[in-house]
Amino acid sequence: MPDIRDELMSALTHEDPVRRAQIQMHKPLAKRFYKEVSVAAAGDGHAVLLDGRSVRTPARRPMAVPTLKLAELLAAEWDAQGELINPPAMPLTRLVNTAIDGVALDQRAVFDDILRFAGSDLLCYRADSPEGLVKRQNDSWNPVLDWAAQSLGARFILAEGVVHQEQPPEAIAAFADGLRAFATPLGLACLHTITALTGSAMLALAFASGRLSAQDAWAAAHVDEDWQIEHWGTDEEAFQRRENRWQEMQAAAAVLEALR
């Protein structure tokens, strides 16, 4: 594969997300070096081909995914590039690179990190006032907690304020059992991304399990923020940060849905 491909892929995935963002901001955009994008069978999965040659990750691993649907989504990202290739406009490719080059090498660490989020999940920490915010939290979050208790057997304890509430080991173990259904490199990469974006492993698992839509999970994660915006407003910078996070959320949701 030509050197330009290696340079492009290094911009798409870097082990440090801050450094990756810096690379993408300062690195000149590469010219599109291929004409045709296609999908082909590759072992037990499917690969994206550029002019008949397989795309590889920054670590030089074949970018092969389990389902044809996901391969087609990746191919669409590559095909949508114009005269210049814009890595920030390829969130699915970045996520798949992360799964193959990162998560696959230490799935247990990513699994355990999601569990740590569950131990201090956003949904378990409630406001004691004002009444309107308390009601919104209850309306949005209680159904998800009820689902976790009834479907997973994971019964979490609620707390007011930000003082840490230790969760019962039985609840964490039950949550872990539910998480194992998605314990593949791609599944964990998506769930970890959604967990980090929302602050809630429970929302991530509820979405992956079909309990919530991506939009509903996103709205639930921003109950407090939306309350503040309604009463105090927001600024353009904060709005843009949220829009960027939503794009990452949609990418993770799209990958998860394509794996089904």
Side-chain angles (χ1 to χ4, degrees):
M1 190 175 285
D3 290 345
I4 191 171
R5 302 187 185 209
D6 297 333
E7 293 174 5
L8 173 63
M9 298 308 288
S10 69
L12 285 170
T13 296
H14 189 282
E15 60 183 5
D16 181 345
V18 175
R19 179 59 183 148
R20 183 176 69 216
Q22 292 171 341
I23 291 171
Q24 292 174 3
M25 285 189 293
H26 295 104
K27 191 177 182 66
L29 298 181
K31 288 186 178 181
R32 177 166 172 159
F33 53 86
Y34 54 91
K35 293 182 179 179
E36 182 181 50
V37 182
S38 58
V39 171
D44 295 331
H46 304 270
V48 177
L49 307 182
L50 306 179
D51 293 338
R53 303 177 69 178
S54 177
V55 175
R56 290 184 176 270
T57 68
R60 309 296 297 152
R61 297 179 177 89
M63 187 186 288
V65 293
T67 68
L68 176 60
K69 183 177 181 180
L70 179 53
E72 290 174 340
L73 290 176
L74 293 169
E77 273 194 343
W78 287 90
D79 200 33
Q81 301 305 300
E83 183 180 347
L84 299 177
I85 300 173
N86 183 19
M90 305 174 77
L92 275 68
T93 297
R94 294 200 308 271
L95 187 55
V96 170
N97 284 339
T98 298
I100 295 172
D101 285 349
V103 178
L105 304 182
D106 195 353
Q107 290 185 213
R108 186 69 207 188
V110 179
F111 187 95
D112 288 345
D113 201 37
I114 297 172
L115 283 187
R116 279 192 287 274
F117 268 93
S120 56
D121 203 275
L122 168 72
L123 273 57
C124 295
Y125 292 85
R126 304 302 181 88
D128 56 5
S129 64
E131 183 178 341
L133 177 57
V134 172
K135 183 179 187 305
R136 284 196 193 181
Q137 289 180 344
N138 289 338
D139 290 346
S140 184
W141 297 351
N142 285 359
V144 182
L145 288 165
D146 291 342
W147 165 81
Q150 296 166 10
S151 298
L152 305 178
R155 294 172 173 80
F156 288 86
I157 299 172
L158 305 187
E160 289 186 350
V162 295
V163 177
H164 178 66
Q165 169 64 56
E166 191 75 23
Q167 296 296 338
E170 297 81 6
I172 300 299
F175 187 89
D177 286 342
L179 184 59
R180 287 190 183 94
F182 304 94
T184 65
L186 280 168
L188 290 175
C190 292
L191 279 166
H192 191 275
T193 296
I194 295 173
T195 297
L197 289 170
T198 63
S200 172
M202 217 171 310
L203 288 175
L205 187 55
F207 166 72
S209 302
R211 173 61 181 78
L212 293 175
S213 68
Q215 292 85 350
D216 288 342
W218 190 249
H222 291 84
V223 167
D224 291 4
E225 183 177 316
D226 286 342
W227 176 269
Q228 294 295 328
I229 289 172
E230 288 176 20
H231 289 80
W232 304 104
T234 187
D235 57 53
E236 181 60 29
E237 185 177 347
F239 173 80
Q240 192 56 56
R241 283 197 304 268
R242 179 159 164 174
E243 284 298 300
N244 292 340
R245 294 198 311 272
W246 171 233
Q247 295 301 316
E248 295 296 322
M249 174 80 170
Q250 288 180 298
V255 171
L256 270 176
E257 289 173 347
L259 292 173
R260 291 172 180 160

